[in-house]
Amino acid sequence: MALSATDRALVRALWKKLGNNVGVYTTEALERTFLVFPSTKSYFPHLDLSPGSAQVKAHGQKVADALTLAVDHLDDLPGALSALSDLHARKLRVDLPPLSPQLLCHCLLVTLARHFPGDFSPAMQASLDKFLSHVISALASKYR
Amino acid sequence: MVLLGERKRKDLSLYFLQLTRLLVVYPWTQRFFDNFGNLSSASAIMGNPKVKDHGKKVLTSLGEAIKNMDDLKGTFAHLSELHCDRLHVDPENFKLLGNELVIVLAKYFGKEFTPQVQAAWQKMVAGVAIALAHKYH
């Protein structure tokens, strides 16, 4: 399931459109994940997870920065995300897919579909879904 | 589930798109529709009349689910047997379809599709997926 040239073009085009606002959408995706799939809150006992929380917004920005890094390094996702993989595997111990990471990815797709309905064709969704699957795989690369 | 009561008054005619999108976004699901004709590209799938008709069937079933939210297992008993015994569909696919419906709803409802509304719909599609898998053996 390698990312085709079309996948890369579509993902990059969307990211260009998101501009500096990626954090807005990743924050909404996080808020949705916590509300819709409450078990995911268990990874953040140290944060205030109430709606509108500044801490969730800050974490959303971290996720946004990581995804933007991924978009800029589509040719070497495991390399680009190596440090994050270490962090998620060793320190945070977030469940491997199909558990928590995919729940956040689903909520990110819902968020983007909601805000960019005109751009969210089946082809765009497929490419985004593939890209996010690759990000999750890259994050999983150091698990064991 | 109170929010779902509001939902059912909306026009659901666009939501058959969930099936057409599923076949594009997760192409391996096409294997269940070998006799549907041309599924060779996204545009072929989106324009395929058999896919559209089948999407409407799926939608009608979901309409029944919304009318019978207190007895999803009963409502889907026959369909569950069909999907297990005749169609041999892995129940994981029901979750894929459910999530696809949520994405279609987000796309078409936009601002109204708040996290609370999404949460209600995720519970609904999870209930439908469980009901569809209930008669599997």
Side-chain angles (χ1 to χ4, degrees), chain A residues 106-130:
Chain A
H106 170 66
C107 288
L108 184 57
L109 289 175
V110 168
T111 302
L112 293 173
R114 184 191 181 216
H115 288 281
F116 298 94
D119 297 278
F120 214 73
S121 62
M124 169 63 88
Q125 183 185 337
S127 295
L128 267 175
D129 199 55
K130 275 170 87 174

Side-chain angles (χ1 to χ4, degrees), chain A residues 32 36 106 114 117 120 125, chain B residues 21 100 107 110 113 122:
Chain A
R32 284 179 181 270
V36 177
H106 170 66
R114 184 191 181 216
F120 214 73
Q125 183 185 337
Chain B
R21 292 181 72 100
E100 194 55 45
K107 184 177 147 91
F113 206 67
Q122 296 280 178

Side-chain angles (χ1 to χ4, degrees), chain B residues 74-89:
Chain B
T75 305
F76 282 103
H78 167 67
L79 277 173
S80 181
E81 284 167 359
L82 175 75
H83 281 77
C84 169
D85 297 330
R86 264 188 58 203
L87 305 175
H88 309 295
V89 177

Side-chain angles (χ1 to χ4, degrees), chain A residues 93-114:
Chain A
R93 290 174 297 188
V94 176
D95 300 311
L96 274 177
L99 299 169
S100 303
Q102 284 200 347
L103 301 179
L104 176 59
C105 289
H106 170 66
C107 288
L108 184 57
L109 289 175
V110 168
T111 302
L112 293 173
R114 184 191 181 216

